[in-house]
Amino acid sequence: TLQKTVTSLAVDVEKADGVIAKQQQKHERDIEKRDDLIDKAREAKRRKQSEASVDSRKHSEEMKRTIEELKSYKLIAKEATINKEKAEKETEKMRKENDDIKEKWEALIASHRDELKQEKELTDKAKLEGKAALRAKEKEYSDVMEKNAEREKKRRDEVKRHAAEETAEASNKMATAREDS
């Protein structure tokens, strides 16, 4: 589950980086367009000024067109500036999201490490308890075997004593029988 979460977070970060890069490229293209338009406007203005000396009426019309072009270029430049600001805001938003994702990922990893540590501690404790229980069972088994050995020895001693008594009694009877005969 952690691996899936980490993979998902990594994919989100890559997507965010891609969006940021695209916005940056669009912003750079908008700036280039604006600069090209400004250069064209200046060039048009210079051209118009040089032609203006030839015909003042023509010059007046040309100036009106130049003014319109400049207004158009100004609008385009303003739009490029607005797009730049939007791109910067979106980039900042994506950075914040990436930072949030990174923080969540780090918290998840830290949590998982804590869980693993706790599991290891529990496992180690269980091992120690298991060893202690095994030693207790071994001692109990040893005590039982010792008691059984003592009982067996007493039983053998009793059998030997009983056999010795019977043998002595039989010997006495035989000795009495010999004396009687």
Side-chain angles (χ1 to χ4, degrees):
T1 323
L2 176 61
Q3 185 63 35
K4 286 180 184 177
T5 304
V6 169
T7 302
S8 174
L9 291 172
V11 167
D12 290 345
V13 169
E14 287 178 14
K15 285 180 182 177
D17 288 344
V19 169
I20 290 170
K22 285 180 184 177
Q23 289 175 346
Q24 192 67 25
Q25 289 172 353
K26 184 178 184 316
H27 171 68
E28 290 171 5
R29 285 192 304 271
D30 288 344
I31 289 173
E32 287 176 7
K33 272 186 190 176
R34 185 189 66 193
D35 291 344
D36 287 344
L37 292 174
I38 290 170
D39 289 344
K40 285 179 183 178
R42 286 180 183 152
E43 182 61 36
K45 185 177 178 181
R46 276 189 228 112
R47 194 176 14 156
K48 302 301 178 197
Q49 285 175 351
S50 66
E51 293 172 0
S53 62
V54 176
D55 184 12
S56 81
R57 192 179 79 197
K58 188 177 178 184
H59 174 68
S60 176
E61 291 174 7
E62 297 262 340
M63 286 303 286
K64 286 179 185 177
R65 277 191 297 238
T66 302
I67 291 171
E68 291 302 317
E69 284 180 5
L70 288 174
K71 286 180 182 177
S72 165
Y73 296 147
K74 189 174 181 181
L75 286 174
I76 291 171
K78 186 176 182 180
E79 186 179 325
T81 303
I82 290 170
N83 287 341
K84 175 188 171 192
E85 290 171 357
K86 284 180 183 177
E88 288 173 349
K89 286 178 183 176
E90 190 64 30
T91 300
E92 186 60 32
K93 180 182 173 187
M94 292 302 252
R95 282 191 184 126
K96 285 180 182 177
E97 287 175 3
N98 283 346
D99 290 345
D100 290 345
I101 290 169
K102 184 178 177 183
E103 287 175 13
K104 288 177 184 176
W105 183 67
E106 288 172 351
L108 184 62
I109 289 173
S111 170
H112 185 65
R113 282 187 186 139
D114 290 344
E115 288 173 9
L116 289 175
K117 184 178 177 183
Q118 289 174 353
E119 286 178 17
K120 185 181 182 311
E121 289 172 358
L122 290 174
T123 302
D124 291 347
K125 183 179 178 183
K127 283 181 185 177
L128 290 175
E129 290 173 355
K131 286 179 182 178
L134 182 61
R135 277 190 230 110
K137 284 290 183 186
E138 287 174 347
K139 172 127 177 57
E140 183 181 330
Y141 176 76
S142 172
D143 290 347
V144 168
M145 292 304 287
E146 197 175 295
K147 285 180 184 176
N148 285 345
E150 287 176 16
R151 272 191 243 129
E152 185 63 24
K153 183 179 178 196
K154 284 181 183 177
R155 188 187 65 77
R156 275 192 235 124
D157 289 347
E158 182 65 28
V159 167
K160 284 180 187 177
R161 186 184 58 73
H162 186 24
E165 285 177 0
E166 286 181 1
T167 304
E169 193 177 306
S171 291
N172 286 340
K173 281 183 184 178
M174 282 176 56
T176 307
R178 276 190 213 145
E179 286 177 10
D180 287 343
S181 53

